[in-house]
Amino acid sequence: MKAAITATARYLPERILTNADLEKMVETSDEWIRSRTGIETRHIVAEGQATSDMGVEVVNRILEKSGTKPEEIDLLIMSTMTPDMCAPSTAALIQAKAGLKNAWGFDLSAACSAFIFGLETGTGFIESGKYKKIIVIGGDAMSSILDFTDRNTCVLFGDGAGGVLLEPTREGGILDSILHLDGNGGDALKIPASGSLNPASHDTIEKRMHYVWQDGKTVFKFAIKRMADVSEEILTRNNISGSDIKLFIPHQANKRIIDATAKRCGLAPEKVLININRYGNTTAGTIPIGLDEAVEQGRLKKGDYLLLASFGAGFTWGSMLIKWGEPV
Ligand code: UT7
């Protein structure tokens, strides 16, 4: 028994923030952002709109597309680093708003790799035989933790969410995964005052410690190597070459990191899903948003091999190999 992705959905907030808008906010340029990252626009939540609101939209769209009733969902895994609040979990908020009355659920924290960590977790629950319908969402309202006076970070991220329905299958499905965690990289990308170490105080606010801080160069160096290594490794151990892969959906943090990984795996540009230009880095949202776009565009057919890969804060990174099932 394996787990198959049987439906996908995404939600991007309406408001768009362009590079030209950012030029008015910090010392930056459209040229710098495009050439260093590949980003042109990103979506930003409306005032009062939180991660759970995006999650509910994703759940409702998954239920509608798959003809599933809310009460049929057994488990909801919400992968995010921008929960609405520490407690209750964002999964609980979504569960109530979407009426998933028979589902239990939890939030999963692994920054940019949270969606594939969630997919691995959901896969295990399906393979156990105990659960039949699991929704895994990846989504972040990054604008809620961005310092819009810090050009090193505010140009990089955007808001958005995507998700999948996982169900048992005897054909194809999620075939393999390689996941990693190296906490020694923790200082390179963090939000210093976002938990029990530095509870909110006037001091933490004055020092702007509630915002994302990143040593971009260090993260870049690790990301470009680790994401390529782990993508190559999963292909090699499954005796699959780049030419066998129909589509590669990488985490969208930097177009240069994506291009380097694709090159190492022998993947032609047309096999690589790129949407960083439109959405920026939506953290846990990038892969499921890309997946839903790929399905919508008919880029995946039954039997196609799909490769996913990510790298993010922690450090966390990994790859997954999927054989696509019946078209959604
Ligand atoms: O998804 C989570 C994982 N995150 C990542 O994978 C991100 C990894 N890192 C990166 O993508 C890149 O390191 C960045 C896009 C963040 C930065 O690109 P870079 O080519 O590594 O630039 P840099 O940090 O070496 O900065 C080059 C210059 C610096 O100026 P000096 O010191 O050379 O005078 C920066 O101060 O660019 C400057 N700079 C900017 N200039 C205009 C930094 N940010 C900006 C900006 N606009 N927004």
Side-chain angles (χ1 to χ4, degrees):
M1 177 92 72
K2 295 219 174 286
I5 293 171
T6 56
T8 62
R10 67 182 186 280
Y11 173 80
L12 279 309
E14 257 171 55
R15 190 180 149 211
I16 292 175
L17 187 69
T18 66
N19 291 350
D21 295 330
L22 285 159
E23 282 177 351
K24 295 182 200 129
M25 297 159 72
V26 288
E27 185 75 44
T28 191
S29 67
D30 175 53
E31 200 283 321
W32 190 97
I33 303 171
R34 274 176 204 256
S35 61
R36 302 283 179 132
T37 69
I39 302 167
E40 294 163 24
T41 57
R42 67 289 287 145
H43 291 238
I44 302 288
V45 288
E47 210 174 318
Q49 192 180 26
T51 300
S52 69
D53 298 311
M54 297 194 289
V56 170
E57 292 285 345
V58 171
V59 168
N60 287 339
R61 289 171 192 193
I62 286 175
L63 295 177
E64 196 186 316
K65 282 185 185 182
S66 61
T68 307
K69 295 190 188 76
E71 57 270 26
E72 289 180 76
I73 302 299
D74 303 314
L75 168 60
L76 172 67
I77 301 175
M78 180 60 200
S79 301
T80 188
M81 65 179 263
T82 50
D84 289 25
M85 50 191 111
C86 283
S89 68
T90 304
L93 299 170
I94 297 170
Q95 183 264 352
K97 290 188 209 174
L100 309 180
K101 63 180 187 189
N102 294 317
W104 66 288
F106 54 88
D107 290 1
L108 190 151
S109 168
C112 299
S113 301
F115 179 74
I116 66 167
F117 281 26
L119 205 51
E120 171 79 347
T121 308
T123 297
F125 280 111
I126 292 284
E127 287 177 353
S128 77
K130 192 170 173 188
Y131 300 95
K132 301 282 178 262
K133 290 184 193 290
I134 296 176
I135 291 180
V136 182
I137 304 176
D140 277 294
M142 293 303 290
S143 61
S144 66
I145 51 164
L146 284 181
D147 181 350
F148 280 99
T149 66
D150 176 14
R151 70 176 185 176
N152 290 303
T153 49
C154 75
V155 305
L156 304 175
F157 297 93
D159 302 337
V164 300
L165 177 63
L166 284 180
E167 295 183 86
T169 182
R170 299 210 175 273
E171 232 194 307
I174 295 166
L175 301 182
D176 196 11
S177 63
I178 304 175
L179 305 178
H180 292 287
L181 176 66
D182 179 2
N184 294 309
D187 277 338
L189 179 46
K190 62 183 176 184
I191 309 162
S194 50
S196 57
L197 180 61
N198 295 300
S201 67
H202 288 294
D203 190 47
T204 60
I205 288 169
E206 261 166 35
K207 291 181 177 153
R208 311 183 82 78
M209 292 166 70
H210 300 267
Y211 295 123
V212 174
W213 183 90
Q214 175 172 241
D215 169 0
K217 258 192 214 324
T218 300
V219 178
F220 187 89
K221 219 169 63 192
F222 275 87
I224 209 160
K225 168 143 179 44
R226 300 280 192 273
M227 210 163 95
D229 285 349
V230 81
S231 304
E232 198 177 31
E233 188 185 350
I234 204 164
L235 295 184
T236 307
R237 87 171 184 193
N238 286 279
N239 287 321
I240 284 176
S241 74
S243 58
D244 300 320
I245 295 291
K246 177 70 185 302
L247 188 64
F248 174 42
I249 305 182
H251 172 53
Q252 313 273 318
N254 190 313
K255 174 83 165 37
R256 290 182 287 153
I257 299 173
I258 296 171
D259 291 346
T261 304
K263 193 170 171 202
R264 173 95 81 81
C265 295
L267 292 159
E270 63 272 15
K271 293 187 170 186
V272 184
L273 188 134
I274 305 278
N275 58 19
I276 187 173
N277 53 326
R278 287 176 286 134
Y279 307 139
N281 181 352
T282 55
T283 303
T286 61
I287 292 176
I289 290 170
L291 185 55
D292 187 50
E293 290 190 324
V295 169
E296 197 172 88
Q297 294 159 8
R299 292 178 76 174
L300 287 165
K301 302 268 180 308
K302 193 178 173 189
D304 285 343
Y305 283 110
L306 167 68
L307 176 66
L308 310 179
S310 75
F311 186 89
F315 295 133
T316 54
W317 71 103
S319 58
M320 293 185 98
L321 182 67
I322 297 168
K323 193 168 186 186
W324 201 247
E326 292 292 339
V328 179

